[in-house]
């Protein structure tokens, strides 16, 4: 240790001398260096003196301060204990008085509630009297203001438990609303009638309108008064008489009162033509009333934009679009009509299917052409009601199954539609598989615009059922054709399976199905959390004693909080994961079946080649001609070539690549185990084997790969070892025998020697065994 320190000091000293005294001239600076280092030394000593004098005093002060603080804490604890006892004594002494005061406070609060209740009733009666007085003097503005004050009071008491008071207020509001509305609405409708509203085509020529400006000013005043008579949403919805089924749809709310009155004549026309015994009311022709509604929206859009929208903006209701509100009213008419016809449609599958198609077109038209917002309820919401959705799913499945039966009974169902077009026939999709996926795509197009995610998931489940049914049909056909795996039928089924897998992979990446996956996972996660919380609630006595309302209020918040903490939702799978895996497994099994069939056929023709006399073949020098393919291999290679050509013409390119690669590896392993390792070779035999494999077998696969030899590594490397010159082979054998035990990795020198020869796949033991098969080496 001391030696190492001395060595470090010597190095530092040498560095210091070299830096400061590199030549004779620098010796003159020795004095200045001495003064500089003496000054640094004095500064350090001064700092040490100051530190040694100040630090102990600081430590003492800190100790004194800590002791003082500890004493203060002790005094505070004693004082706290004293105060606690005083509080307990005082609480005990005033407890009887607190009980008496609590009872008095409760009575006072109860009296206050009575007073407020009676004052509210008095306020309502007072407002009613003021409205009545205003109507008698025809002071419409005052009457509307008092009415608005009454509705405001009603809205402020929505959370009250006094149901009788709320019912009284509701009846009073509806009473005055009807009186005010009827008086103003009649005048408003007269003005609209003079202005030729609604704008419908008639055969009678009407006289031109005079005083248009005065009429529009009058209409504007009446429109604003009607806006002030707008009922709260909960009262207005009950008062409009909406069908009970429509109340199940979220987002249904009453129209603005003036626009409701503007739609009133159109509603009369609609009911006249499309209800009752009229010929235009036909279950088979829903397009009649859908087209009529679209024409009304088109014809009135310009009037609404020019005359009604400015009134809304001037009244502070610019957030409401007149055209959208008008469209919403007409869409509600259609929804009521569909709900009215639904009990008859569910028993008529053809008409139900037809109206679904028409509704899908209608909804697309009003949202894309007339900019009807997607957040507002529409006709598709009616189709998502259980009464319609369940029957729709049944009809969809029935028609899909019928279509599948027709596909599979077609004479050309297993032929490609593009078999005569070479450029388009790479995939070689059978007609039935393509038609089936088009059918699924059509179903997706029909339900993808549904506004309810649960309904979409039910249709997705239907698609899964159809995919599984189609898979089972393919399995049945495959089993019937399994006696000839290289035949047209078996290959067509394989192409169909592969095509389904490809399409499902493409669909899995679409935004629509990713959204469905996310919704499905969130829903299942929330369901599991709810069940967990529910079970824990039952198990916990403390929670069980809690109030029911408290549990209900906190349950949703607790679930939402836990869901927000789940940031690692599984997104590595898709909605088609399970069914796609089944098709992929079927594809893998079928490729394996074809490979085994071809391989066994080739293997059956290899008997003469395996038993060839490799040990006694003449060397090339002894031959009068050049090397040629072994006669015993001709039949085997010819059968292999025929199978490859047959499969190339029947399988899609991707499947054929999987087939020949698997087949090549099987043949490669077979040649090593059944031909090379079971025979001995002289020089001529080794060269003949190499010629057969490298110049005849591997080129058979040259049309399918730029480097087909990479799939015959075992046999190619074995040929390399068998055809080594005697000296090189002996040297390699000596290197490999230095470590004869079977290890996962050969020693470095053996590994290097094998790599130099291009041997990467064979193990060390296999290399030694192959070298021992050469007769010249085995005799040495």
């Amino acid at each position: 240790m001391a030696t190492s320190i001395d060595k470090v000091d010597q190095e530092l000293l040498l560095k210091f001398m070299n830096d400061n005294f590199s030549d004779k001239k620098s010796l003159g600076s020795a004095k200045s260096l001495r003064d500089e280092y003496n000054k640094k030394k004095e500064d350090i000593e001064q700092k040490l003196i100051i530190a040694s004098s100040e630090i102990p005093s600081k430590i003492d002060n800190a100790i004194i301060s800590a002791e003082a603080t500890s004493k203060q804490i002790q005094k505070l604890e004693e004082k706290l204990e004293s105060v606690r006892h005083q509080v307990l004594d005082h609480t005990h002494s005033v407890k009887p008085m607190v009980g008496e005061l609590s009872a008095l406070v409760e009575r006072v609060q109860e009296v206050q509630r009575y007073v407020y209740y009676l004052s509210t009733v008095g306020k309502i009666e007072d407002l009613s009297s003021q409205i009545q007085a205003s109507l008698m003097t025809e002071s419409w503005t005052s009457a509307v203001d008092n009415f608005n004050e009454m509705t405001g009071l009603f809205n402020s008491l929505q959370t009250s438990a006094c149901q009788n008071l709320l019912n009284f207020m509701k009846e009073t509001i509806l009473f005055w609303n009807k009186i005010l509305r009827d008086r103003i609405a009649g005048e408003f409708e007269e003005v609209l009638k003079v202005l030729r509203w609604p704008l419908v085509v008639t055969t009678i020529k009407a006289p031109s309108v005079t005083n248009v400006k005065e009429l529009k000013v009058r209409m504007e005043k009446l429109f604003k008064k009607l806006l002030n008579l707008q009922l709260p949403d909960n009262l207005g919805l009950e008062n409009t008489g909406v069908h009970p089924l429509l109340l199940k749809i979220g987002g249904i709310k009453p129209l603005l009162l003036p626009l409701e009155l503007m739609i009133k004549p159109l509603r009369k026309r609609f009911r006249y033509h499309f209800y009752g015994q009229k010929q235009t009311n036909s279950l088979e022709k829903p397009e009649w009333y859908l087209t009529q509604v679209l024409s009304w929206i088109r014809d009135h859009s310009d009037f609404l934009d020019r005359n009604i929208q400015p009134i809304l903006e001037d009244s502070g209701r610019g957030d409401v679009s007149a055209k959208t509100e008008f469209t919403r009213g007409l869409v509600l008419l259609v929804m009521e009509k569909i709900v009215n016809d639904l009990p008859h449609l569910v028993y008529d599958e053809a008409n139900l299917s037809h109206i679904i198609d028409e509704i899908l077109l209608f909804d697309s038209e009003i949202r894309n052409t007339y900019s009807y917002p997607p957040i507002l309820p529409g006709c598709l919401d009616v189709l998502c009601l259980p009464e319609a959705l369940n029957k729709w799913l049944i009809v969809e499945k029935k028609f899909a199954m019928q279509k599948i039966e027709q596909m599979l009974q077609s004479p050309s169902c297993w032929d490609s539609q593009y078999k005569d077009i070479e450029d388009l026939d790479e995939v070689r999709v059978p007609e039935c598989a393509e038609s089936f996926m088009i059918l699924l795509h059509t179903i997706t197009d029909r339900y993808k615009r549904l506004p309810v995610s649960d309904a979409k998931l039910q249709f997705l489940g239907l698609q899964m059922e159809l995919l599984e049914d189609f898979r089972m049909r393919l399995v049945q056909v495959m089993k019937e054709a399994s006696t000839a795996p290289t035949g047209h039928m078996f290959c067509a089924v394989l192409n169909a399976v592969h095509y389904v897998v490809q399409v499902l992979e493409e669909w899995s990446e679409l935004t629509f199905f990713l959204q469905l996956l996310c919704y499905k996972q969130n829903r299942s996660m929330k369901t599991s959390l709810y069940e967990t919380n529910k079970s824990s609630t039952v198990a916990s006595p403390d929670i069980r004693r809690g109030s029911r309302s408290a549990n209900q209020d906190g349950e949703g918040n607790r679930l939402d909080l836990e869901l927000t903490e789940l940031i690692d939702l599984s997104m590595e799978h898709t909605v088609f994961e399970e069914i796609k895996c089944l098709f992929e497994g079927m594809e893998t099994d079928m490729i394996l079946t074809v490979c085994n069939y071809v391989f066994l056929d080739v293997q059956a023709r290899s008997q003469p080649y395996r038993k060839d006399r490799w040990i006694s073949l003449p060397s090339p020098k002894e031959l009068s001609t050049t090397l040629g393919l072994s006669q015993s291999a001709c039949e085997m290679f010819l059968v292999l070539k025929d199978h490859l050509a047959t499969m190339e013409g029947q399988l899609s390119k991707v499947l054929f690549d999987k087939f020949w690669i698997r087949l090549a590896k099987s043949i490669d392993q077979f040649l090593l185990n059944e031909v090379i390792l079971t025979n001995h070779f002289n020089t001529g035999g080794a060269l003949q084997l190499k010629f057969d494999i490298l110049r005849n077998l591997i080129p058979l696969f040259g049309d399918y790969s730029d480097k087909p030899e990479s799939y015959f590594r075992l046999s190619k490397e074995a040929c390399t070892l068998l055809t080594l010159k005697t000296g090189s082979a002996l040297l390699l054998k000596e290197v490999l025998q230095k470590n004869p035990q079977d290890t996962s990795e050969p020693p470095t020198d053996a590994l290097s020697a094998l790599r130099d020869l291009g041997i990467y796949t064979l193990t060390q033991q296999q290399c030694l065994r192959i070298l021992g098969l050469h007769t010249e080496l085995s005799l040495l």
Side-chain angles (χ1 to χ4, degrees), residues 520-739:
K520 182 179 180 181
Q521 289 180 330
N522 279 322
R523 190 183 68 166
S524 61
M525 188 66 67
K526 194 163 186 175
T527 301
S528 62
L529 286 174
Y530 172 77
E531 292 174 352
T532 303
N533 288 336
K534 187 176 180 181
S535 62
S536 64
T537 301
V538 172
S540 173
D542 296 334
I543 298 178
R544 188 168 61 248
R545 285 196 294 266
S547 66
R548 180 180 178 184
S549 61
N551 285 338
Q552 289 176 342
D553 292 338
E555 185 176 20
N557 295 332
R558 188 165 59 250
L559 288 177
D560 292 338
L561 179 61
E562 293 183 17
L563 280 175
T564 56
E565 296 174 354
L566 296 174
I567 58 176
D568 189 26
L569 285 176
S570 174
M571 291 299 290
E572 68 272 13
H573 298 302
T574 69
V575 290
F576 299 107
E577 189 70 22
E578 185 176 351
I579 191 67
K580 185 167 74 72
C581 288
L582 293 175
F583 275 97
E584 287 175 341
M586 184 177 175
E587 176 187 320
T588 302
D589 292 342
M590 292 183 72
I591 291 177
L592 183 60
T593 300
V594 176
C595 286
N596 289 340
Y597 178 82
V598 174
F599 174 73
L600 290 175
D601 194 16
V602 173
Q603 187 182 26
R605 315 301 176 95
S606 67
Q607 187 72 13
Y609 192 69
R610 283 183 285 168
K611 301 300 182 180
D612 214 338
R613 297 185 59 79
W614 301 102
I615 197 171
S616 60
L617 292 179
S619 64
K621 296 180 181 179
E622 300 174 3
L623 294 173
S624 57
T625 59
T626 58
L627 281 174
L629 176 64
S630 298
Q631 185 176 358
S632 56
C634 291
E635 184 182 5
M636 176 177 64
F637 285 3
L638 183 61
V639 168
L640 175 61
K641 183 179 180 180
D642 290 342
H643 280 305
L644 289 173
T646 300
M647 300 311 295
E648 184 183 17
Q650 295 190 138
L651 293 180
S652 68
K653 187 178 185 308
V654 176
L655 287 175
F656 179 70
D657 287 341
K658 292 181 180 180
F659 159 74
W660 75 257
I661 289 173
R662 181 185 289 271
L663 179 63
K665 291 180 178 179
S666 299
I667 293 175
D668 185 37
Q669 190 73 45
F670 165 74
L671 289 174
L672 177 67
N673 295 332
E674 301 297 331
V675 178
I676 298 174
L677 296 179
T678 58
N679 287 286
H680 286 77
F681 301 85
N682 63 359
T683 302
L687 290 173
Q688 182 64 53
L689 177 68
K690 183 176 182 179
F691 181 83
D692 291 343
I693 294 175
L694 299 185
R695 300 293 298 277
N696 292 278
L697 174 61
I698 294 179
L700 289 178
F701 296 86
D703 293 338
Y704 320 127
S705 173
D706 294 334
K707 295 183 178 180
E709 63 274 5
S710 61
Y711 301 99
F712 293 89
R713 294 181 182 275
L714 295 174
S715 54
K716 181 184 175 185
E717 291 177 5
C719 290
T720 301
L721 292 173
L722 289 173
T723 56
L724 281 177
K725 293 183 179 180
T726 305
S728 299
L730 289 174
L731 289 174
L732 177 62
K733 188 175 182 181
E734 182 180 353
V735 170
L736 296 177
Q737 286 177 339
K738 289 181 180 179
N739 188 27

